[in-house]
Amino acid sequence: MRNTLKPANTAPAAPQLRLLLAGLVLLLSVGLARGQGGAVLRKDLKTDFGAVGDGKTNDQLAFERAAAFFNKRAKETPAPTASAVLRIPKGVYLVGRQDEANQGVNVLHLVGCRNLTVTGDDSASTEIRYVDNQRYGSFDPATKRRFDAPNAYFTDGKYAVSVGLCLVLQECDNVRVAKLNINGNSPHTVVGGHWGDTGIQLNFDGIFVRNSRRVILSQLALHHFGRDGIQVLNQLAKSLDDPQREGIVLENSTCNYNGRQGLSLTGVNGFRAVNCSFSHTGQVIVSSIGKALVSSPAAGVDLEPQDGFVTNVDLENCRFVDNAGQGIVSDRPEGNYPASTKNIVISNSLAWGITNWSAWISQPGVLFRDCRFYGAFVHGCKAATPADATRFIGCTFEDRPYHGKPAYGPFTLHSESYARSMSFTNCQFIGTHGYLIHAVPAATDTASLFHLRGCTFLFDYTQPPQGSYDKILGAVFSGNNAFRDGPHRTSAHRSALMLGSGGVVGTTVLRAPGSLQLLAPNTYCLVQSGLDIGRQPAHARDSALVLVANNNALVINETPGKVPELYIGPTSRLVVKKGGALEILRNTKVTIAGQLVIEDGAYFFRDPLAKFAMVGKGRLRVSPKALLTKHPRLYSTYY
């Protein structure tokens, strides 16, 4: 039964009730303005710590006083600490101080701080800039002059002179840094000799994060530092699969024109960069030496674990352009080392290599999604499991010039006996000046081969490249794959493509469903040790197709001591169109369970020593108008 009782009193609220509600609203609004455990503490670098910000006065001590204040507060205040804000008003704040031991004093070194925001008014008008003539590198401790060590590896601490770190977050939690232009001023640094294993490996970074959690770095410009724009060195994770993510975020920022890296991730579990640039590393000329200040690896981003792990990393909509080293590098040292990287995803990003590789990857667990590589990608992981393998989804590899400078490398992708199980899904390879691909797997077992699904290879030359040819010496194809002309191709030169390993039968495989289409005119495709088309499809109706179009030649060649096999599965076809050519060279074993079709006007050469066998409903269909000879231009020269 519906309740029809009415309230006893429906009159407007009494004055006391209205006062109570107003008090609750006031308490709520005050609570929103409070941090954890109290009201927000607000400090100003100028008014509270004596900074001037006039571009003439050295404000180093003001930053040191601010750091001392917040560090003392963090040490003396039990957790949770109330929120605090350090505002850095508009201005140019000169910094830089080197102590009696020739070491640079860090500018704003925060230790154990929690719930703190450090913010400028905006990165266009709030600049922290190092003063001219800071010394950096190896210097004679007696004469103070530049010292060039005779040996390449030099680590004598008496000669080391550092500039220091600008902003340090050490063992901090829930800290935000925003709206700052932090300028290392490296062009006006006095550079000494090398120190460390390569270049100058001494402190000179914009931001250094050490064993900290929940850090947000936003709207920052970190540039012209001798070492890194940002380095994250957390060693909080206990294992590769530690569930405790650290929550480091970098957004809408630039880390350009630094000496060693835009960003170094040397230890982190949970890092995300979005809408950022890590470009032009090692490209800044320093007046004191008349050349660039550069230290290896001189990359845009370096994913390099140091006695820890680099895991759960997302780089989204980022740029890695024109770095002296690689755009992205994650290099695994030689030897039997346990895996220390996992779940690294780079998406919707641009890596453009002009003087070096666009990316160099040999660590496990790296996935590229919807990325563009202009300039050659190199290596790939020697994966122990498929999850470790280097993977590409929806990516483009192209040798596109940069402001008139050619992209780096003779191929868009170069992997020489290095990678296992590297995969490409719906990717595109475009050659405008050089070759498309040089791919040789680390091993020739089926699991180690390259896996290409739904990929397109475009010959887009205006003039022929010189000195090499395209090769994929061990691949499993699936989906629809095609070699085509690009829209700008005007060169009528002969393109050469080699598939499969000369020493192992079964290293060129087309799985069903799938296709491999040779559609680019004047292309000679040599398949070593045979071609396997549509063997054991996943479903009974799945089919595979190899299509040889006009002015294309497919040649099945033997290797001494090996018997190549052309196998065509029961639901699959190999079709040679008019003007196309198929050569079956000596000692080849041809097994046709599906169809081999030679159409009108197609070229078909069958060596007398080749052995043909029909299986089940297999058919060899040679048109009466087929030409039983080699192609007049695209022919083999093996005998």
Side-chain angles (χ1 to χ4, degrees):
M1 178 182 291
R2 188 175 66 178
N3 191 341
T4 58
L5 295 177
K6 296 182 180 179
N9 185 2
T10 59
Q16 293 87 345
L17 181 58
R18 290 198 297 271
L19 288 173
L20 177 60
L21 290 173
L24 288 173
V25 170
L26 178 61
L27 286 173
L28 178 61
S29 48
V30 170
L32 290 174
R34 290 175 181 266
Q36 298 180 13
V40 176
L41 173 69
R42 300 185 183 278
K43 291 291 183 178
D44 186 290
L45 189 69
K46 287 185 175 181
T47 58
D48 293 302
F49 301 107
V52 179
D54 61 356
K56 300 176 182 178
T57 305
N58 192 323
D59 289 313
Q60 170 86 19
L61 293 180
F63 283 94
E64 292 181 32
R65 285 191 289 267
F69 172 85
F70 286 106
N71 291 341
K72 180 180 179 182
R73 179 174 180 268
K75 186 176 181 179
E76 294 178 351
T77 305
T81 305
S83 296
V85 175
L86 171 61
R87 176 180 174 237
I88 305 175
K90 293 180 181 180
V92 176
Y93 300 84
L94 297 184
V95 297
R97 180 169 73 88
Q98 293 175 305
D99 61 19
E100 295 179 357
N102 295 322
Q103 300 309 309
V105 177
N106 299 336
V107 177
L108 188 67
H109 191 141
L110 302 172
V111 181
C113 293
R114 302 178 294 275
N115 310 318
L116 173 64
T117 295
V118 178
T119 181
D121 285 353
D122 65 73
S123 59
S125 60
T126 306
E127 180 182 4
I128 302 171
R129 183 198 305 162
Y130 276 80
V131 296
D132 292 352
N133 299 321
Q134 295 283 286
R135 295 190 303 148
Y136 182 57
S138 292
F139 291 85
D140 188 297
T143 66
K144 309 299 183 183
R145 293 179 179 176
R146 175 189 173 105
F147 179 78
D148 291 294
N151 49 316
Y153 185 81
F154 181 69
T155 57
D156 190 332
K158 296 191 299 293
Y159 292 80
V161 178
S162 69
V163 176
L165 309 170
C166 187
L167 173 59
V168 179
L169 303 178
Q170 180 179 342
E171 298 170 4
C172 294
D173 185 16
N174 192 26
V175 174
R176 180 183 180 90
V177 181
K179 301 180 180 179
L180 293 171
N181 177 346
I182 307 180
N183 181 356
N185 194 23
S186 60
H188 299 103
T189 299
V190 178
V191 176
H194 64 277
W195 195 96
D197 56 350
T198 175
I200 302 176
Q201 305 288 337
L202 294 166
N203 286 352
F204 191 4
D205 301 347
I207 295 179
F208 191 95
V209 179
R210 175 70 166 161
N211 289 342
S212 297
R213 299 183 185 273
R214 298 192 298 161
V215 173
I216 297 178
L217 308 173
S218 180
Q219 301 178 65
L220 301 173
L222 302 148
H223 56 99
H224 293 94
F225 281 89
R227 196 168 68 174
D228 299 342
I230 301 175
Q231 182 174 177
V232 179
L233 178 54
N234 280 356
Q235 293 176 327
L236 301 172
K238 305 303 181 184
S239 70
L240 193 63
D241 296 303
D242 193 319
Q244 298 297 318
R245 305 284 180 92
E246 291 149 20
I248 313 295
V249 176
L250 173 66
E251 59 186 12
N252 304 315
S253 297
T254 60
C255 299
N256 299 337
Y257 300 104
N258 297 295
R260 188 179 72 172
Q261 257 85 252
L263 168 67
S264 288
L265 295 180
T266 48
V268 71
N269 176 23
F271 178 94
R272 181 171 184 259
V274 59
N275 301 329
C276 295
S277 175
F278 311 97
S279 301
H280 311 297
T281 300
Q283 304 287 24
V284 176
I285 303 299
V286 178
S287 58
S288 65
I289 56 176
K291 60 182 181 179
L293 173 57
V294 55
S295 299
S296 183
V301 170
D302 183 18
L303 306 161
E304 184 182 351
Q306 293 185 3
D307 302 321
F309 308 96
V310 173
T311 58
N312 300 305
V313 173
D314 285 295
L315 307 179
E316 180 183 348
N317 194 30
C318 293
R319 292 170 56 87
F320 319 89
V321 176
D322 186 31
N323 294 286
Q326 300 82 28
I328 307 162
V329 62
S330 186
D331 190 25
R332 191 172 193 172
E334 294 294 331
N336 187 22
Y337 292 92
S340 54
T341 60
K342 185 176 181 179
N343 193 26
I344 296 169
V345 180
I346 302 169
S347 60
N348 194 32
S349 295
L350 169 63
W352 204 331
I354 296 94
T355 58
N356 212 311
W357 311 100
S358 61
W360 170 309
I361 302 295
S362 59
Q363 290 273 14
V366 180
L367 166 64
F368 293 93
R369 181 184 289 115
D370 299 321
C371 291
R372 292 163 291 155
F373 298 91
Y374 298 155
F377 174 97
V378 71
H379 294 325
C381 175
K382 191 174 293 184
T385 68
D388 290 341
T390 308
R391 295 174 292 151
F392 302 87
I393 300 174
C395 294
T396 296
F397 301 82
E398 183 178 354
D399 55 352
R400 179 176 294 190
Y402 176 81
H403 296 306
K405 300 177 182 178
Y408 185 80
F411 300 91
T412 65
L413 182 135
H414 189 107
S415 184
E416 173 67 56
S417 304
Y418 214 97
R420 296 181 72 248
S421 306
M422 189 153 65
S423 68
F424 305 83
T425 302
N426 299 328
C427 292
Q428 185 172 228
F429 299 82
I430 304 172
T432 60
H433 294 80
Y435 293 90
L436 293 172
I437 187 168
H438 178 101
V440 183
T444 51
D445 58 283
T446 303
S448 297
L449 304 183
F450 296 96
H451 290 256
L452 297 108
R453 179 177 181 83
C455 294
T456 301
F457 300 82
L458 295 179
F459 300 103
D460 204 20
Y461 311 119
T462 56
Q463 61 182 14
Q466 301 292 326
S468 189
Y469 51 89
D470 295 296
K471 61 178 71 173
I472 308 174
L473 303 191
V476 177
F477 293 91
S478 61
N480 296 318
N481 304 273
F483 289 83
R484 304 175 182 272
D485 268 1
H488 307 103
R489 181 173 181 179
T490 57
S491 173
H493 77 287
R494 167 172 157 165
S495 297
L497 169 66
M498 182 181 288
L499 300 178
S501 170
V504 181
V505 175
T507 49
T508 302
V509 177
L510 173 61
R511 287 181 175 165
S515 68
L516 180 60
Q517 302 178 55
L518 304 178
L519 306 176
N522 300 313
T523 298
Y524 173 90
C525 179
L526 175 67
V527 181
Q528 303 182 102
S529 300
L531 173 61
D532 192 301
I533 306 171
R535 191 189 296 266
Q536 296 179 343
H539 303 92
R541 294 185 178 181
D542 289 346
S543 64
L545 168 67
V546 172
L547 180 66
V548 184
N550 180 39
N551 281 324
N552 280 261
L554 177 64
V555 179
I556 311 296
N557 186 40
E558 72 166 344
T559 300
K562 303 292 181 181
V563 177
E565 180 182 20
L566 171 59
Y567 176 86
I568 305 174
T571 59
S572 300
R573 296 180 299 154
L574 193 165
V575 177
V576 184
K577 307 296 287 185
K578 181 180 180 180
L582 174 64
E583 290 186 34
I584 308 296
L585 298 185
R586 65 177 62 172
N587 299 323
T588 300
K589 176 185 176 182
V590 180
T591 304
I592 305 175
Q595 296 186 54
L596 172 54
V597 181
I598 312 297
E599 295 188 351
D600 293 350
Y603 296 88
F604 181 44
F605 177 82
R606 171 181 175 177
D607 189 272
L609 296 179
K611 298 178 181 180
F612 279 67
M614 307 300 157
V615 177
K617 298 181 180 180
R619 295 181 62 190
L620 170 60
R621 297 170 52 193
V622 181
S623 168
K625 296 182 180 180
L627 305 171
L628 304 183
T629 184
K630 296 183 178 183
H631 193 285
R633 290 181 295 103
L634 303 171
Y635 56 86
S636 63
T637 57
Y638 290 94
Y639 61 92

